[in-house]
């Protein structure tokens, strides 16, 4: 826990974990974009703490600024993009019975990940 994990779009750090939840701090660099994905075993809550996020959930697009949040139900196709020139920081909370990085189905990814 607390190790910073590098990704093509930025970094994340696990802050806390319990039996049915996991909390991360996520940095998305300018023009970074997380893949269009879904999760079978967890829902997610995203709270923007710095910057502006473009969030896509099941083909609906939302623009979220600091101090705004959104809920992503399990099995929803979702993505997150930072289309700005400054870092985007958010707190992500997973909730579910099975919390694993392997619980991911990718549909689109600008970095070529499967």
């Amino acid at each position: 826990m607390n190790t910073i994990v590098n990704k093509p779009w930025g970094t994340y750090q696990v802050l806390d974990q319990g039996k049915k939840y996991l909390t991360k701090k996520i940095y998305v660099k300018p023009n970074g974009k997380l893949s269009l994905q879904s999760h079978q075993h967890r829902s997610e809550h995203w709270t923007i703490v710095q910057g502006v996020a473009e969030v896509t959930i099941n083909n609906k697009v939302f623009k979220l600024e600091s101090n705004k949040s959104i809920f992503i139900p399990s099995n929803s196709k979702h993505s997150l993009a930072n289309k700005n020139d400054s870092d985007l920081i958010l707190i992500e909370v997973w909730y579910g019975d099975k919390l694993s990085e392997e619980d991911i189905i990718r549909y689109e990814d600008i970095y070529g990940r499967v």
Side-chain angles (χ1 to χ4, degrees), residues 14-25:
V14 174
L15 302 176
D16 194 20
Q17 184 170 5
K19 186 174 181 180
K20 291 191 171 196
Y21 73 90
L22 183 137
T23 305
K24 289 182 175 182
K25 185 176 187 180

Side-chain angles (χ1 to χ4, degrees), residues 75-94:
N75 296 306
S76 298
K77 287 185 180 180
H78 61 281
S79 183
L80 174 74
N82 179 6
K83 295 190 172 183
N84 299 288
D85 294 330
S86 58
D87 288 342
L88 167 65
I89 303 173
L90 63 137
I91 302 300
E92 177 182 74
V93 178
W94 296 0

Side-chain angles (χ1 to χ4, degrees), residues 3 8 20 36 48 52 74 91:
T3 301
K20 291 191 171 196
L36 179 65
I48 308 306
V52 179
S74 60
I91 302 300

Side-chain angles (χ1 to χ4, degrees), residues 48-104:
I48 308 306
V49 295
Q50 179 182 307
V52 179
E54 182 180 281
V55 178
T56 303
I57 304 174
N58 293 328
N59 297 317
K60 293 182 182 177
V61 179
F62 306 88
K63 184 178 178 181
L64 296 180
E65 298 179 359
S66 294
N67 200 33
K68 301 294 180 190
S69 61
I70 197 160
F71 173 69
I72 299 99
S74 60
N75 296 306
S76 298
K77 287 185 180 180
H78 61 281
S79 183
L80 174 74
N82 179 6
K83 295 190 172 183
N84 299 288
D85 294 330
S86 58
D87 288 342
L88 167 65
I89 303 173
L90 63 137
I91 302 300
E92 177 182 74
V93 178
W94 296 0
Y95 189 83
D97 292 323
K98 184 179 176 185
L99 304 175
S100 167
E101 291 290 342
E102 284 73 45
D103 180 19
I104 185 169

